[in-house]
Amino acid sequence: MLVSVAWVGCKNDFPVDEDGLLITDRAECFVSNFELLGGDFQTVRTKNPVIDTTAQTIQVEVFYGTDLRNLFPQFSLVTDAKLDPKITGKVDFSDLANPKVYTVVSGNRKVRKPYTVYVTVQKP
């Protein structure tokens, strides 16, 4: 009988999304930091990114000569938020005329904010 009580007590009644992440009541939805790494997993940024949570933009300058086809973006998001699309490997940022757009989804999964990532290259 004790085993059955323990099993029932461990049952998960919290809602999860399609990724298995806990859905919470948090409606906040923003990017707090952004990093861009090269193929050697070292930063390729020349300075801190400019994140505008009102305009929902991220502006980042990379070193001259950076291989823009093989970059690894890293987003720091508000608690319980998630990113869509998921980043599963290297990303090609070489088409500077068409910046990448990532959507931040709130913890309650009701608020979605698209952030546009503008990459510029340092002048030689």
Side-chain angles (χ1 to χ4, degrees):
M1 182 166 178
L2 182 60
V3 173
S4 65
V5 171
W7 181 75
V8 172
C10 292
K11 184 179 176 191
N12 185 357
D13 290 330
F14 298 107
V16 294
D17 66 11
E18 65 279 0
D19 296 319
L21 299 173
L22 185 65
I23 298 173
T24 68
D25 58 355
R26 293 180 191 263
E28 295 86 11
C29 191
F30 61 88
V31 175
S32 59
N33 197 16
F34 180 78
E35 181 61 78
L36 205 50
L37 305 176
D40 59 357
F41 298 102
Q42 300 296 313
T43 188
V44 294
R45 293 184 298 105
T46 61
K47 55 190 169 192
N48 288 333
V50 176
I51 301 170
D52 185 332
T53 58
T54 303
Q56 297 166 208
T57 60
I58 300 170
Q59 296 180 10
V60 60
E61 182 183 79
V62 299
F63 292 109
Y64 178 79
T66 298
D67 181 2
L68 299 177
R69 295 168 299 170
N70 297 301
L71 297 177
F72 297 92
Q74 294 181 334
F75 291 80
S76 295
L77 308 176
V78 66
T79 302
D80 296 338
K82 71 177 192 173
L83 196 65
D84 183 33
K86 294 181 237 177
I87 299 170
T88 58
K90 64 183 177 182
V91 177
D92 185 348
F93 283 91
S94 63
D95 187 358
L96 298 177
N98 293 300
K100 299 284 185 201
V101 177
Y102 292 92
T103 300
V104 179
V105 182
S106 65
N108 65 10
R109 306 304 185 253
K110 295 178 182 176
V111 181
R112 299 176 62 85
K113 293 186 179 180
Y115 275 76
T116 305
V117 179
Y118 296 96
V119 176
T120 57
V121 179
Q122 181 183 44
K123 298 199 184 303

